[in-house]
Amino acid sequence: MDLEARDEHEAKPLLGNFNQNKLATAADKQKAFFSSVTARNFGWHLLTLVPAPQFTFMAVLFLVNRFWHWHCFVVTILLSSLLMASLWAMKSYKQIWRQRLAKLILASTVSGLIVGLAIYYSSMVFYFHYKSAATYNSVVPSQSAESILDAGVISFAVGSMVDRSRSVGFQSASGNLICVAPVVDVSMRPGSPANLFAYGMNCCKHRGSFNCD
């Protein structure tokens, strides 16, 4: 018991000095930061620290959504270089405001990349897919669907229409009503097999009613 009490007694000053050193170091950094801010450079620091991270976030967001589909390797190289430059600046610069600027740019780059990829894979990927797909004009509904399997945009020939009387609605597991109706032309009889269909969600009844745009 005496040995344990003596060890604890001897350890307390050491722990106290360690905590005081930590507090002194943090206080010295804070004091150095405020002492470095003058009326001359305060405006410059403010104009740099506030818009630079916002501009970085918007630039990364634009870069990912505009060029990721076609040049993902180039975008990866650019963003990796920006991240490495931010990490280098955090360790190399001695000025506290520059270190904080590097941290903000690093956080803006990472958040812009995450948000940009979320937007791309939820919306933009479909836009680029249909933009790069083939376009067919004056398509006759009676022709085989295999001839236009790579279509992204289809314009039907004059006289084509949706046969609403033959529409069908399927109840999906998610609760949505999936609607399909054959696209026909004047040369097709009521019993002719359909090759092309119009599609929609929650815009029909189970049979014989199709109001999808």
Side-chain angles (χ1 to χ4, degrees):
M1 294 297 294
D2 294 337
L3 292 175
E4 292 180 359
R6 186 180 64 181
D7 293 341
E8 183 179 357
H9 180 71
E10 293 177 353
K12 284 184 177 179
L14 297 176
L15 293 175
N17 293 333
F18 177 74
N19 293 330
Q20 289 178 1
N21 291 334
K22 288 181 63 179
L23 293 175
T25 303
D28 291 340
K29 289 184 177 180
Q30 186 175 7
K31 184 178 180 180
F33 172 73
F34 285 109
S35 63
S36 64
V37 177
T38 62
R40 178 178 297 179
N41 60 20
F42 176 76
W44 167 250
H45 291 177
L46 185 64
L47 290 176
T48 305
L49 289 171
V50 174
Q54 299 179 12
F55 175 78
T56 303
F57 176 81
M58 297 301 297
V60 172
L61 201 64
F62 173 80
L63 191 66
V64 171
N65 282 280
R66 183 63 180 85
F67 299 105
W68 183 264
H69 187 83
W70 308 108
H71 309 288
C72 62
F73 180 76
V74 177
V75 174
T76 303
I77 294 297
L78 292 176
L79 295 182
S80 300
S81 301
L82 183 57
L83 291 174
M84 293 180 66
S86 300
L87 292 173
W88 175 84
M90 289 169 54
K91 296 182 179 180
S92 300
Y93 286 120
K94 296 182 179 180
Q95 297 88 345
I96 298 179
W97 75 273
R98 289 188 176 181
Q99 294 178 359
R100 293 182 178 178
L101 177 62
K103 291 179 181 179
L104 290 174
I105 291 180
L106 177 65
S108 300
T109 303
V110 174
S111 59
L113 177 61
I114 294 174
V115 175
L117 290 177
I119 295 175
Y120 171 78
Y121 284 107
S122 63
S123 301
M124 297 302 296
V125 64
F126 303 106
Y127 166 77
F128 286 113
H129 170 73
Y130 288 112
K131 185 178 180 180
S132 61
T135 300
Y136 292 90
N137 298 314
S138 300
V139 175
V140 180
S142 57
Q143 73 182 68
S144 174
E146 295 180 355
S147 60
I148 54 173
L149 288 178
D150 60 340
V153 178
I154 297 175
S155 297
F156 289 99
V158 178
S160 304
M161 68 191 74
V162 177
D163 190 354
R164 302 177 187 272
S165 62
R166 298 167 63 184
S167 66
V168 179
F170 299 92
Q171 195 75 41
S172 66
S174 61
N176 294 315
L177 189 62
I178 301 175
C179 309
V180 291
V183 180
V184 298
D185 56 32
V186 294
S187 65
M188 300 175 64
R189 298 181 179 180
S192 300
N195 297 316
L196 303 175
F197 292 84
Y199 164 84
M201 292 184 64
N202 302 320
C203 51
C204 66
K205 295 182 180 179
H206 287 90
R207 288 189 178 275
S209 176
F210 190 86
N211 300 308
C212 306
D213 294 333

